[in-house]
Amino acid sequence: MPMPTEPMLYKSVLRPLLFRGDAEKTHEQTLAMLSRMAFLERALANLYTVEDGRLETSVGPLKLKNPVGLAAGFDKNGVAIRTWPGFGFGFIEIGAVTAQAQPGQPKPRLFRLPEDQALINRLGFNNEGAEAIGVKLKALRSERPLRIPLGVNIGRTKIVATKDAAADYLFTFETLFPYGDYFTLNVSSPNTPELRDLQQKGHLANLLATIQAKNRELAAASHIPEKPVFVKIDPDMDFAQANEVVAVAKAERIAGIVATNASAVLRENLSKPVDQPGGLSGKPLKARATDFIRHVYRATGGALPIIGAGGIFTAEDAYEKIRAGASAVQILTGFVYEGPGAVKRINRGLLNLIERDGLKSIGEAVGKGV
Ligand SMILES: Cc1cc2nc3c(=O)[nH]c(=O)nc-3n(C[C@H](O)[C@H](O)[C@H](O)COP(=O)(O)O)c2cc1C
């Protein structure tokens, strides 16, 4: 009898067990376990890291050992930061963090759609708040260096009005500035009322100008370069609005765009009707997110780096996003469905794909399919 492979074990034994319980409870239990596994980072890294110079890439000023990151929302409070690098990620993003601690939406608020390899979430930025997370990150940073870049995803506190949103983001940015290698301004979650209004030109320009002014000030005061700041956009806006977002991002010298967040409206390509409000992620989002990336890449002539997300499960999925213009990618739903070996398989597969296409590095594939 052939030995079962790791993906077989995950999909036929562990995943059915994990998927038996309530989605959010299982998620919390998994995170709690991961938070206690930091001592295994090296052992895990030996199992799961693919080291190969051809995978090295950069997203603006960010230098990555490989292009596969953990998307925001899996580890909102940054409880397993020491463990994540063990799974072979090139970078990780915690959050969304909001200025004030908040409980999020009423439960249940996270749903699996196994037939569609998707999730719907309406968590609503449940997190411990900037100050508490800052204390944690300070302790972490004072121990020893992290092996991969750490991003912090920032959201708006629910009870704060749009007119006060910039100050709310600013508080979190300033509090966490010393600890993040990059920051993502999340103006695209579907689960905080009016959050997406911040993608409108005037609001966005104000937000980005406020954050970038503080970025310059804090960087100068501590004699370090400015931190790369990204803007994360939703897949539901039309391309004309995307063009406006890109124009504002360029004017404010933003490091790049994270495309995309989960979809609030996409439901038509599901195997059966699902009447759950929230953000749809995973396989059914893949094509829409790729179209978005391709559009942003074209609109900027490749001048604005893109981190691509949405429905990446395999190396082919990641390669599709990279060829559409993403310099790096992030996964979340794919990690839930594919298991702990997902990043390794994607990185190995990417090496095969660039070899097939006669490329010397993953960087050479960026935008090749546009
Ligand atoms: C449970 C869950 C929570 C999420 N929370 C956040 C969040 O706090 N901030 C954010 O920017 N994106 C959040 N996202 C969106 C993901 O980061 C990602 O953009 C989206 O899910 C598409 O990628 P995927 O198909 O690989 O999951 C969340 C997604 C899920 C499934």
Side-chain angles (χ1 to χ4, degrees), residues 199 204 231 233 237 240-250 257:
Q199 294 178 134
L204 189 66
V231 175
I233 60 175
M237 64 173 88
Q241 197 190 346
N243 292 344
E244 282 188 9
V245 170
V246 164
V248 174
K250 271 168 92 177
I257 300 283

Side-chain angles (χ1 to χ4, degrees), residues 71-73 76 95-96 121 123 153 186 232 260-261 281-282 310-311 331-333:
K76 288 182 186 271
N121 92 83
L123 296 170
N153 184 281
N186 176 7
K232 186 163 178 178
T260 69
N261 213 314
S281 60
I331 65 169
L332 197 165
T333 308

Side-chain angles (χ1 to χ4, degrees), residues 67-78:
V68 186
L70 177 71
F74 201 111
D75 190 358
K76 288 182 186 271
N77 294 310

Side-chain angles (χ1 to χ4, degrees), residues 316-333:
E316 285 74 17
D317 298 337
Y319 200 54
E320 177 187 292
K321 292 270 189 292
I322 291 167
R323 284 177 44 85
S327 298
V329 296
Q330 292 177 324
I331 65 169
L332 197 165
T333 308

Side-chain angles (χ1 to χ4, degrees), residues 54-55 312 314-323 345-362 364-365 368:
R54 291 171 299 169
L55 290 171
I312 296 173
T314 65
E316 285 74 17
D317 298 337
Y319 200 54
E320 177 187 292
K321 292 270 189 292
I322 291 167
R323 284 177 44 85
R345 289 193 291 278
I346 292 174
N347 276 322
R348 281 216 173 136
L350 284 175
L351 288 171
N352 290 336
L353 289 165
I354 59 172
E355 246 167 51
R356 181 198 70 187
D357 291 349
L359 306 175
K360 289 191 196 63
S361 71
I362 198 70
E364 282 186 22
K368 272 274 151 54

Side-chain angles (χ1 to χ4, degrees), residues 59-117:
V59 189
L62 269 187
K63 303 269 174 278
L64 308 175
K65 291 263 191 229
N66 73 67
V68 186
L70 177 71
F74 201 111
D75 190 358
K76 288 182 186 271
N77 294 310
V79 299
I81 293 172
R82 287 276 175 218
T83 309
W84 289 119
F87 292 104
F89 286 105
F91 62 115
I92 53 172
E93 189 168 316
I94 64 162
V97 181
T98 54
Q100 301 176 37
Q102 56 181 29
Q105 307 243 65
K107 294 177 185 173
R109 52 193 185 176
L110 178 60
F111 307 89
R112 301 182 194 102
L113 279 48
E115 285 141 39
D116 296 301
Q117 299 195 279

